[in-house]
Amino acid sequence: MPSNHECAWDNMKKRIIKTHSSKPLAKNASGGRNRRKRVLIDVELTNDDDFAASFSGNNKFFAKMTADGLLLKPADPQPSKIYVEPTTFCNLKCRSCMRNSWSEQEGRMTRETFGRIIRQTKKNPSIREMAFWGFGEPLTHPDIIDMVGQAGKTGVSTEIITNAALLDKKKSSDLIKAGLGKLVVSIDGVSQDKHDHMRPGANLAAIMDNISNLNALKMLQGNENPKIGIEFVLTRSNLSELPGLPDIAKKLSADFIIVSNILPYTPDMKDEILYGISAGRPFAMRHSCDLPDISLPVIDVKRNTSPSILSFLVNAGATASIARNNSYYEADALCPFVMKGALCVNWKGEVSPCPALMHSHTCFINRRQKNIRSYHVGNINTDDIGKIWNKPEFVDFRRKVIEFDFPPCVTCECDLAESNEEDCFDNAFPTCGDCLWARGVALCP
């Protein structure tokens, strides 16, 4: 029986009313593969479609035939989700964190800056979500409870990603009262040794007690929220812990699990990756309402990795077909941030299209060092969201990302792939051909 999601897509395809062929894209200047040709179509959407409602009235889509059927990408979604970075201070020093590879000043978002975000959110009804996370621990911000409460009063759903080490009973009770919709806890091991290896100083038993206390307080207050999620950063070192993750999820009454590959930010982590040749779209499975939803990234399934991966799937009660092992060249990249109409605001108020571009840093793509320069399209302290969103520079950037008019830099070793300044398709800064989120290798809530 087809899912509601599949039915929505079928209904949408039936309502295509006209097509426009876009002009062919030029061949790669370096003599490589042809850049993809896209077709722009108009789709008639009705207001009673939950699926269509997520596009906020936009009926322009890019269409592409794939082996799995017709792929539609919204030509330019409206802003719908704001990622707010309350702070870059943190109580831990996790080995997988971007903070290990930058020299930026640490700081906290001011009340004035956050007040601007709230006022702008009220003026833009297309914004439906506000996520409090970035590259710091949100619970270290002294105003985080008030920030969540103010956001909820605008009508948006709210979310926090936290290491939960500071989630005492008072913070838990206050977050419930503030109306927090979702709390995602970062857990990178089911044993203390492995968790501490990735997150030095984090006491796994104490973190689980904190979440259990939160769940107990939810029951006492008669509240189903916040929903609990688990985010697990997968490495060679903690792969053997993966089969035990569903048991942790059950103990914490988690509604979902997100497993992401690691994006190394330091040389000592570059050999921890599990995705040397794999790419394509991630696993996304729904099953019994008694079990958490599962999202997995693309992973190289080899003799030494398959037992842990398959045990995890079996223990989680998942049923899914294994996607064919597409190469990076054949995979259709989808930016999860631009596609959903995201705006990312760092603690200083600077606005970026995605979390990866909020701060300048160094990372390692398939063990190759890459220098990323931050990209800001405006500042919430001086510009309105609508003005920022409609800047020609930002509109053009979103178009390129949605079409994904970038070369497959992930498997390349040319000099241009060493930064995000330019690429061999003559794209200027910022280039996105190396983005692991667009390739389904890295996942975020």
Side-chain angles (χ1 to χ4, degrees):
M1 181 176 179
S3 67
N4 292 336
H5 182 76
E6 291 169 335
C7 291
W9 274 105
D10 288 340
N11 291 335
M12 180 180 286
K13 287 184 284 187
K14 291 175 184 176
R15 297 199 298 274
I16 296 176
I17 55 177
K18 60 182 177 178
T19 65
H20 309 278
S21 294
S22 58
K23 65 180 181 179
L25 297 171
K27 189 174 182 179
N28 182 346
S30 64
R33 294 174 178 266
N34 287 329
R35 296 160 72 174
R36 297 187 185 117
K37 179 179 179 179
R38 302 284 182 178
V39 176
L40 183 65
I41 64 172
D42 287 339
V43 177
E44 181 183 0
L45 304 178
T46 59
N47 292 331
D48 57 352
D49 274 345
D50 289 338
F51 186 78
S54 66
F55 295 110
S56 303
N58 179 23
N59 69 333
K60 298 287 186 182
F61 290 80
F62 287 107
K64 179 180 180 290
M65 290 304 301
T66 71
D68 297 315
L70 182 65
L71 173 67
L72 298 180
K73 296 182 181 182
D76 193 9
Q78 293 299 303
S80 64
K81 184 170 184 175
I82 296 183
Y83 293 85
V84 176
E85 180 180 68
T87 180
T88 52
F89 287 108
C90 192
N91 56 313
L92 298 178
K93 191 172 176 61
C94 301
R95 299 181 69 198
S96 59
C97 185
M98 181 192 291
R99 295 168 71 252
N100 295 317
S101 72
W102 74 27
S103 57
E104 294 196 8
Q105 174 190 3
E106 294 179 330
R108 295 186 178 94
M109 183 172 287
T110 66
R111 292 182 179 182
E112 291 74 21
T113 296
F114 186 69
R116 287 274 303 175
I117 294 174
I118 291 298
R119 290 191 291 275
Q120 289 301 305
T121 299
K122 291 177 180 178
K123 292 181 180 180
N124 289 269
S126 63
I127 298 172
R128 300 183 300 277
E129 299 177 76
M130 188 175 295
F132 293 92
W133 63 275
F135 297 95
E137 169 53 49
L139 297 186
T140 65
H141 197 294
D143 298 327
I144 189 62
I145 306 297
D146 186 56
M147 294 166 83
V148 171
Q150 286 189 56
K153 289 178 182 177
T154 69
V156 302
S157 61
T158 53
E159 165 189 305
I160 279 181
I161 298 182
T162 174
N163 58 48
L166 302 177
L167 187 67
D168 57 28
K169 290 183 180 179
K170 185 178 188 312
K171 280 194 176 71
S172 292
S173 180
D174 289 346
L175 285 171
I176 295 169
K177 293 175 182 177
L180 180 65
K182 187 188 302 181
L183 184 143
V184 183
V185 56
S186 298
I187 293 178
D188 292 338
V190 301
S191 65
Q192 178 58 43
D193 288 347
K194 292 294 185 182
H195 187 69
D196 188 67
H197 175 72
M198 291 298 296
R199 297 176 169 272
N203 186 310
L204 179 60
I207 288 169
M208 292 186 64
D209 284 345
N210 290 345
I211 300 299
S212 296
N213 289 333
L214 172 66
N215 285 328
L217 288 167
K218 283 163 51 178
M219 292 183 64
L220 285 174
Q221 296 183 21
N223 204 322
E224 294 183 353
N225 290 331
K227 304 295 185 184
I228 304 299
I230 294 175
E231 184 175 37
F232 187 95
V233 178
L234 188 63
T235 67
R236 290 190 182 278
S237 296
N238 67 4
L239 175 62
S240 61
E241 301 279 280
L242 195 58
L245 192 57
D247 285 337
I248 294 287
K250 292 175 186 176
K251 290 177 181 177
L252 300 182
S253 301
D255 293 280
F256 60 92
I257 298 170
I258 297 172
V259 180
S260 176
N261 279 301
I262 187 172
L263 171 56
Y265 294 107
T266 54
D268 63 304
M269 298 299 289
K270 66 181 182 181
D271 290 327
E272 290 281 350
I273 65 171
L274 292 164
Y275 48 85
I277 59 175
S278 297
R281 58 186 182 275
F283 290 90
M285 295 165 282
R286 291 191 65 87
H287 34 75
S288 168
C289 60
D290 296 326
L291 296 169
D293 294 340
I294 306 295
S295 295
L296 278 178
V298 293
I299 306 168
D300 290 352
V301 180
K302 298 180 179 179
R303 182 175 299 176
N304 63 335
T305 62
S306 60
S308 293
I309 296 169
L310 293 177
S311 293
F312 167 76
L313 294 175
V314 170
N315 291 349
T319 56
S321 59
I322 302 296
R324 62 184 180 278
N325 192 19
N326 293 334
S327 72
Y328 283 109
Y329 291 104
E330 299 302 325
D332 203 288
L334 297 167
C335 174
F337 302 105
V338 170
M339 289 287 286
K340 70 174 64 167
L343 283 168
C344 301
V345 187
N346 70 16
W347 69 271
K348 292 181 282 188
E350 296 165 331
V351 180
S352 298
C354 67
L357 293 174
M358 291 168 72
H359 302 280
S360 297
H361 63 279
T362 299
C363 61
F364 292 84
I365 307 294
N366 267 353
R367 301 178 178 86
R368 165 179 47 82
Q369 182 170 324
K370 189 180 186 76
N371 298 314
I372 301 294
R373 179 158 63 96
S374 61
Y375 176 56
H376 305 132
V377 292
N379 192 306
I380 203 74
N381 291 304
T382 55
D383 297 325
D384 293 342
I385 286 178
K387 181 179 178 181
I388 293 172
W389 190 261
N390 293 311
K391 283 184 177 180
E393 173 192 357
F394 195 14
V395 171
D396 184 60
F397 174 79
R398 295 196 302 271
R399 177 194 59 77
K400 287 197 299 183
V401 171
I402 289 172
E403 293 184 17
F404 216 79
D405 190 18
F406 301 102
C409 303
V410 177
T411 54
C412 184
E413 296 184 0
C414 75
D415 292 343
L416 294 179
E418 294 178 357
S419 73
N420 64 336
E421 297 293 338
E422 59 179 323
D423 64 30
C424 62
F425 278 9
D426 296 325
N427 289 308
F429 169 81
T431 60
C432 300
D434 251 348
C435 180
L436 297 188
W437 284 271
R439 302 290 179 181
V441 176
L443 302 182
C444 283

